[in-house]
Amino acid sequence: MSALGLTKDNAAWMAAKPFLNGGLSGMGATVVIQPLDIIKVRLQLGSTGGPFGVAAGIVKNEGFGALYTGLSAGLLRQATYTTARLGIHAKITDFLKEQNKGAPLPLSQKAGAGLAAGGLGAIFGSPADLSLIRMQADGTLPAAERRNYTGVVHALSDIVKKDGVGGLFVGASTTAVRAMALNMGMLASNDQAKEMMKENGITGFPATLGASAIAGFFASFMSLPFDYVKTQLQKQKPGPDGKMPFAGFMDCCGKTFAAGGPLKFYTGFPTYYVRIAPHAMLTLIILENIGDFQKKNGA
């Protein structure tokens, strides 16, 4: 990599590296996890039969390729959202370590770094996230109401055509809150777990695997309520009276709570966990391996 000028002496490379590494790790994980994501969305939108039943129904009625519906939008989301959130998190963490003179960060600072990175990253990823939800939800609509997107570019252009540029940011505030909760749970717990394992003599891949598993659980548990509300807001369509079912985040929360109580927000938790935890684990493992590879090659 030194032949390409990608060394520690290259200021531009060092500035871009955490963002590039973050995007590559997120995109790699998405390719593996995408089928679980569409099953999760279908369950949240009312499909019944459990994860396996929903998967079988998708394959039977729409073909195996339907499990990868929205992959282009998913990859775009990772190229924007995860590139930003992991890059920003790395920069914030490095800054805090300098302020602490190299001492380990307290959990509160780790949580704050995760919150900030998640919120800022979500702003960049909101349009791709919206197009992903719309593409995945399309198969649940009556044939006459389907948007029939051919890809992420079609989805984005259709949204702008019908709702304006502002339409790309429908549910953006909820997306940001969900991202803040997910990243606080994922990144803070991952860093904390790695430190605790190192103190107990656990290093290398076992430490990376164990910490990423812990991170996956906390990312899932803390973010699902916000993800549920986000999905409801992003997939809603005007009723016969021309009005949207939900006026906003708080209205959706109130109506959801009234309809099913607090557990309604955890609809599809097993599938959500199976989708979020492995994605978080794969992202963190790939990120760690990319970093190790670069270190060995002087980058």
Side-chain angles (χ1 to χ4, degrees):
M1 299 185 77
S2 58
L4 299 175
L6 305 180
T7 65
K8 294 180 179 179
D9 297 326
N10 187 326
W13 164 244
M14 294 305 293
K17 185 169 74 168
F19 294 92
L20 177 64
N21 291 356
L24 288 175
S25 62
M27 292 173 76
T30 291
V31 172
V32 178
I33 301 301
Q34 183 67 15
L36 294 176
D37 193 43
I38 190 169
I39 293 169
K40 181 266 298 183
V41 169
R42 293 291 179 88
L43 285 169
Q44 289 181 334
L45 297 180
S47 295
T48 58
F52 293 106
V54 171
I58 292 173
V59 173
K60 179 181 178 180
N61 299 320
E62 303 172 50
F64 182 80
L67 291 173
Y68 280 90
T69 298
L71 178 61
S72 58
L75 291 175
L76 177 62
R77 180 175 181 271
Q78 295 302 318
T80 51
Y81 167 59
T82 299
T83 295
R85 68 178 172 122
L86 293 185
I88 292 171
H89 180 262
K91 292 294 186 182
I92 293 175
T93 300
D94 288 344
F95 172 77
L96 292 174
K97 286 180 178 178
E98 288 181 9
Q99 297 300 305
N100 291 1
K101 298 180 179 179
L105 301 183
L107 184 58
S108 59
Q109 289 189 345
K110 293 171 185 170
L115 282 169
L120 292 171
I123 295 173
F124 292 95
S126 187
D129 189 62
L130 175 62
S131 62
L132 174 62
I133 292 294
R134 294 261 177 108
M135 291 173 72
Q136 291 180 330
D138 210 38
T140 67
L141 299 173
E145 297 180 19
R146 291 178 186 174
R147 301 179 177 96
N148 297 313
Y149 295 134
T150 57
V152 63
V153 174
H154 181 201
L156 291 171
S157 61
D158 184 67
I159 292 170
V160 172
K161 180 180 178 181
K162 293 179 179 178
D163 304 316
V165 175
L168 293 173
F169 293 91
V170 170
S173 59
T174 309
T175 299
V177 173
R178 180 254 191 193
M180 292 169 72
L182 187 150
N183 282 279
M184 181 180 70
M186 172 182 166
L187 299 175
S189 63
N190 180 65
D191 289 346
Q192 189 72 16
K194 284 200 292 188
E195 285 183 9
M196 294 175 68
M197 289 183 182
K198 186 177 181 180
E199 291 173 359
N200 288 277
I202 303 173
T203 59
F205 182 74
T208 301
L209 181 64
S212 64
I214 293 171
F217 172 79
F218 281 102
S220 305
F221 181 77
M222 298 185 71
S223 65
L224 178 54
F226 301 103
D227 185 83
Y228 182 85
V229 174
K230 175 182 74 71
T231 299
Q232 301 306 310
L233 289 172
Q234 290 183 327
K235 69 93 178 182
Q236 66 179 336
K237 297 185 69 175
D241 59 357
K243 294 182 179 180
M244 290 291 192
F246 307 110
F249 176 76
M250 293 307 298
D251 183 51
C252 185
C253 286
K255 289 179 179 177
T256 299
F257 186 87
L263 293 180
K264 183 68 173 177
F265 292 97
Y266 282 91
T267 298
F269 179 75
T271 304
Y272 185 74
Y273 174 78
V274 171
R275 183 258 182 249
I276 291 295
H279 192 282
M281 291 177 67
L282 283 170
T283 298
L284 292 169
I285 290 171
I286 293 172
L287 182 64
E288 189 86 11
N289 279 274
I290 290 175
D292 290 344
F293 174 80
Q294 290 170 342
K295 287 178 183 178
K296 291 178 181 178
N297 289 275

